[in-house]
């Protein structure tokens, strides 16, 4: 073996040693050719030859355009274990799975939806009976890639009422509101990109962004919406690709963004990125139907230049008949259509879109929503009074919706209270599930529509009594 | 400025120069600290300081764990443009969008589904009327994270009949068959990982894998299934993380994997990866309902150790009422549940699952399938005869299903023929859409159920006549 051969062998041996002692694990990237050449004091071509030989042996593998990687099993992406030190009680999946899979005997003041008997079931049953008489094509075919045109036209008219000019072609129906955000993340994010979210915010945003391997940065949330000053600072410091927010009836606080806040956020975005190329804002409008009167919308101020509007019908109509939507710049909608074809072959279920359309067009649906808003206003007040009586204080009284974001007395820890309540078959939503900075351990989110059973208050009192203040 | 300061400035200047002349573009990764230190002949700490200052200026940004990147817009992921030199007529999205968005006056022998009036619409209408009388909870709630338990139990019984022991807990319902594969890709793939697919294969596999930024390698497909020898070679050469295949009634050829091929594939996989850690096989069983009698299944031979079985009801029941499924190792199902919660909040629509279940349980559904198989056998023969009469030769006569994979006469190019046919409102499926190596330009895939209109044959003859042989 010549001198070059010896050097190549030395480089191979050095890599093998690192693999043996787990300095380099299966799936991990090897040092770049140049840097390892510098480390070993050899020429880059020697490292190239060593890597090629190791690849031929199967010890490492080349990924064109990316580099060399140690062979062997890549561990599957385990979202729940992405932060193994994390307390399962404040894992975003914990509340989702506990709520979704809860038995009929469980009480769920921590869940994010109305009880089934609060939903417009009579109108839905009428829509279903009507569907049984639909054309064969509607019952059997995939349907168009953007989803039901009549439903998109109805949405376009609603948007026009809000001051958002979006033609039916600028609207894409999706399988759900979550899937709408997921498609946008697929379009705009690369692994490692930074995304801003409110702190606190809907816990599933964190779960979704973890699935995209995004870096998550929180913007502190105030009673007027996100802190505009800290938002501007976060743009400069972190150069995020996306910001995801609820502007009306924010989850979990129930707050609504003020017009000043909405304007300041968009000005900060424009100052940071004048051409609307680097920063996109996703406005998740899933609770809009619960508003007593319209509030400012980022999408309306911005005219869908930088802002993408998404929503669904799961909260006010049905979560069983699922359909979401995206309204965005035309060129983004085109790209999102391709992505939805690739990942779900086509748009949302035509049968589901037809049921949503027929229910929205049912004369009784608007009346149902009016009655629902009045009922929610009453139940919010009553529940707030009962919670205050046992020491749980609402952070604010929301204008609408079904959430109350309450602080616990005496610095008690919400995760401890949630664990104690779960032992009595009550699912709570502890604050840190919603907080990327884990700074909401003193809060619980309550769903006032799921608190009709008086047993809940006794369980809460016992759970708090058994949880000593720090 | 001291000597160190000057050096830092030189490094910053060198990076700025590379950005100005587009050696480094927005979104691109900077050289590693060590390699750039070697390039510039300075110490790594000087490069660290230079990068930190450039990051403070906003010119570059740090992604922890990944390195430094040039700031500025990352272009959105444009799937259709990922290979800009590609002919739109042989782009996998072209056939999907042309077929899905075709007007009622278009003829679609290139599409991948039955005409609406071939579907079990009477049974579906009965199921819909039954749904109108369901509990409020079924109509309004999200449902459990794995999807309808009765439907999962029915699937478990079907699997048991095939020799696959999978409890209902090992089955996850999804929004569609495509979404089932998408979730598996999310679980197991990292960007740059290699995936094997059959060449030719269902064109949307390529589109889906592009969305995952996977490296795609084709395995030549024979009349007995994938070429087992070349499959084994591809394992050694490319160390793929996944292999995705249809074992029964392969799309686009209609071929069925022989028992010998199935056994040899699994032996090759075991020889390459004895612990079933590195290579997972996804068996897409979407055409199983069209088989006249059961054929070998990788999932049955393997016992769901390395193989994941997926499927849906879109081809035999309804593509409008969408529901897919995954049967896999228990620990993978757990992780997939979290992923589906994160990306679609919960499982598939409970209303859709209930409609699928009621239709499958309808006494007439089995009879419908029997009649459908007889009708397909007759129409396959008739269509093959008519196509042969105009010079289009089936590669083989499939045992079931609705596809005929036909070669064009005299080396004509299928993309040219497809473009000419589209001008007469006929959507064809040119061979290269299915072929990752673009080696099927002499083939067209026909859907025999979409060829009832005799106009199609005239259009085909004209399109071929106007397309000169090479």
């Amino acid at each position: 073996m010549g001198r070059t051969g010896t050097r190549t062998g030395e480089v191979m041996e050095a890599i093998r040693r690192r693999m043996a002692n787990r300095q380099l694990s299966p799936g991990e990237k090897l040092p770049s050719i140049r840097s390892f050449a510098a480390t070993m004091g050899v020429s880059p071509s020697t490292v190239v030859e060593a890597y090629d030989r190791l690849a031929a042996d199967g010890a490492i593998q080349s990924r064109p355009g990316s580099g060399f990687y140690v062979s062997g099993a890549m561990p599957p992406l385990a979202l729940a274990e992405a932060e193994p030190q994390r307390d399962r009680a404040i894992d975003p999946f914990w509340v989702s799975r506990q709520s979704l899979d809860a038995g009929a005997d469980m009480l769920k003041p921590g869940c994010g939806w109305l009880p089934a008997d609060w939903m417009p079931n009579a109108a839905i049953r009428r829509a279903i009976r009507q569907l049984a008489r639909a054309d064969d094509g509607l019952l059997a075919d995939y349907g168009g890639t953007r989803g039901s045109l009549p439903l998109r036209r109805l949405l376009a008219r609603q948007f026009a009422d809000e001051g958002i000019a979006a033609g039916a072609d600028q609207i894409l129906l999706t399988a759900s509101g979550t899937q709408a955000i997921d498609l946008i993340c697929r379009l705009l994010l690369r692994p490692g990109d930074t995304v801003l979210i409110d702190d606190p915010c809907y816990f599933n945003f964190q779960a979704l962004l973890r699935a995209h391997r995004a870096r998550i940065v929180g913007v502190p949330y105030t009673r007027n919406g996100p802190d505009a000053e800290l938002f501007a600072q976060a743009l400069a410091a972190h150069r995020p690709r996306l910001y995801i927010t609820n502007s009306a009836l924010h989850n979990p606080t129930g707050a609504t963004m003020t017009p000043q806040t909405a304007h300041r956020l968009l000005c900060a975005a424009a100052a940071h990125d004048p051409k609307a190329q680097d920063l996109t804002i996703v406005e998740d409008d899933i609770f809009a139907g619960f508003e007593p009167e319209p509030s400012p919308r980022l999408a309306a101020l911005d005219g869908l230049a930088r802002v993408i509007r998404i929503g669904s019908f799961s909260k006010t109509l049905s979560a069983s008949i699922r359909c979401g939507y995206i309204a965005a710049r035309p060129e983004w909608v085109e790209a999102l259509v391709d992505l939805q074809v690739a990942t779900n072959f086509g748009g949302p279920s035509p049968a589901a879109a037809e049921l949503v359309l027929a229910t929205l067009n049912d004369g009784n649906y608007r009346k149902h929503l009016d009655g629902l808003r009045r009922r929610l206003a009453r139940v919010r007040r009553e529940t707030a009074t009962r919670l205050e009586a046992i020491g749980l204080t609402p952070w604010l009284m929301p204008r609408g919706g079904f959430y109350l974001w309450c602080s616990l007395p005496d610095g008690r820890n919400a995760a401890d209270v949630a664990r104690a309540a779960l032992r009595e078959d009550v699912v709570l939503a502890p604050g840190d599930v919603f907080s990327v900075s884990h700074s909401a351990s003193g809060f619980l989110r309550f769903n006032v529509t799921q608190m009709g059973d008086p047993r809940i208050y006794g369980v809460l009192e016992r759970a708090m009594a058994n949880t000593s203040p720090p």
Side-chain angles (χ1 to χ4, degrees), chain A residues 393 395 405-408 412 414-415 429-432 439-445:
Chain A
T393 314
W395 190 61
W405 179 243
C406 297
S407 57
L408 286 152
R412 278 185 176 77
D432 273 354
S439 58
S441 63
F443 287 85
L444 285 167
R445 184 194 72 182

Side-chain angles (χ1 to χ4, degrees), chain A residues 58-414:
Chain A
I60 67 174
Q61 54 184 120
S62 157
R63 296 196 204 150
S66 174
F68 287 85
Y69 290 77
V70 181
S71 295
M74 294 277 260
L77 175 66
L79 289 178
E81 291 157 19
E83 300 177 33
Q85 80 293 357
R86 175 175 275 233
D87 183 346
R88 186 76 186 163
I90 51 163
D91 181 317
F93 293 100
W94 187 84
V95 173
S96 300
R97 290 182 72 155
Q98 288 295 336
S99 312
L100 290 167
D101 292 330
D105 48 338
M106 303 278 283
L107 300 172
K108 307 189 290 288
C111 85
W113 53 88
L114 297 176
D117 58 4
W118 287 52
M119 300 294 271
N121 299 314
I124 290 171
R125 285 175 209 280
R126 277 191 293 275
I128 294 174
R129 285 193 296 268
Q130 195 176 313
L131 181 69
R133 299 186 297 271
D135 290 346
D136 283 353
L138 184 66
L139 296 185
D141 287 344
Y142 283 93
T145 55
R146 280 172 161 75
S148 159
L149 180 59
L151 180 53
R152 288 185 287 123
R153 286 193 176 136
L154 184 149
L155 286 169
R157 287 194 300 275
Q158 288 189 357
F159 293 153
D161 290 344
E162 295 178 35
I164 302 169
D169 272 359
Q170 250 179 287
I171 300 171
L172 173 64
L173 301 185
T174 63
S176 66
T178 306
Q179 204 230 345
I181 305 178
D182 184 46
L183 281 173
I184 294 164
C185 289
R186 288 185 120 142
L187 180 70
L188 297 176
L189 292 185
R190 298 286 183 284
D193 277 354
T194 298
V195 178
L196 296 190
I197 54 176
D198 298 321
D199 188 356
C201 75
Y202 174 40
F203 51 78
N204 206 50
F205 290 164
Q206 285 182 63
L208 177 63
L209 292 170
R210 272 203 240 164
H212 286 274
R213 302 184 176 87
R215 191 175 148 245
I216 304 172
V217 172
V219 178
Y221 200 83
T222 76
R223 287 174 179 79
N224 296 323
D227 186 308
E229 183 58 39
L230 295 177
F231 175 80
Q233 287 176 20
L235 296 187
H238 301 290
R239 310 186 75 80
R241 184 68 190 85
L242 281 183
Y243 168 52
I244 307 178
T245 192
N246 309 120
S247 37
L249 306 181
H250 172 255
N251 181 359
T253 65
T256 293
M257 199 182 285
T258 62
Q260 293 82 1
T261 301
H263 176 65
R264 287 183 65 195
L265 289 184
L266 290 175
C267 287
H272 169 72
D273 166 31
K275 292 183 184 164
Q277 283 178 334
D278 297 351
L279 171 69
T280 300
I281 298 178
V282 177
E283 183 168 52
D284 174 4
D285 221 7
I286 199 159
F287 299 104
F290 293 114
E291 279 200 303
E293 67 289 318
S295 63
R297 283 296 187 286
L298 296 171
L301 294 181
D302 168 74
L304 293 181
R306 178 196 306 285
V307 176
I308 299 178
R309 162 75 151 277
I310 75 108
S312 90
F313 310 94
S314 300
K315 302 303 177 189
T316 45
L317 197 152
S318 164
S320 173
I321 297 156
R322 304 196 72 186
C323 181
Y325 61 82
I326 297 172
R329 282 193 208 171
E331 72 271 24
W332 285 348
V333 170
E334 282 301 315
L336 289 164
V337 165
D338 276 348
L339 265 170
Q340 186 159 243
V341 167
T343 58
N344 201 23
F345 201 65
S349 152
E354 186 68 16
L355 290 175
V356 167
L357 178 69
T359 307
L360 293 176
N361 281 332
D362 186 294
N364 280 308
Y365 180 68
R366 187 166 291 271
K367 231 165 76 181
H368 165 84
L369 271 193
D370 288 341
L372 188 58
R373 283 188 286 256
R374 282 193 300 273
R375 184 176 182 185
L376 283 170
R378 179 168 48 79
V379 175
R380 275 198 309 275
R381 278 195 310 275
E382 290 169 2
T383 307
T385 304
R386 291 195 69 169
L387 287 171
E388 283 178 297
I390 59 172
L392 289 154
T393 314
W395 190 61
L396 57 74
M397 269 310 284
R399 296 161 52 242
F402 48 78
Y403 291 133
L404 287 178
W405 179 243
C406 297
S407 57
L408 286 152
D410 310 321
R412 278 185 176 77
N413 183 287

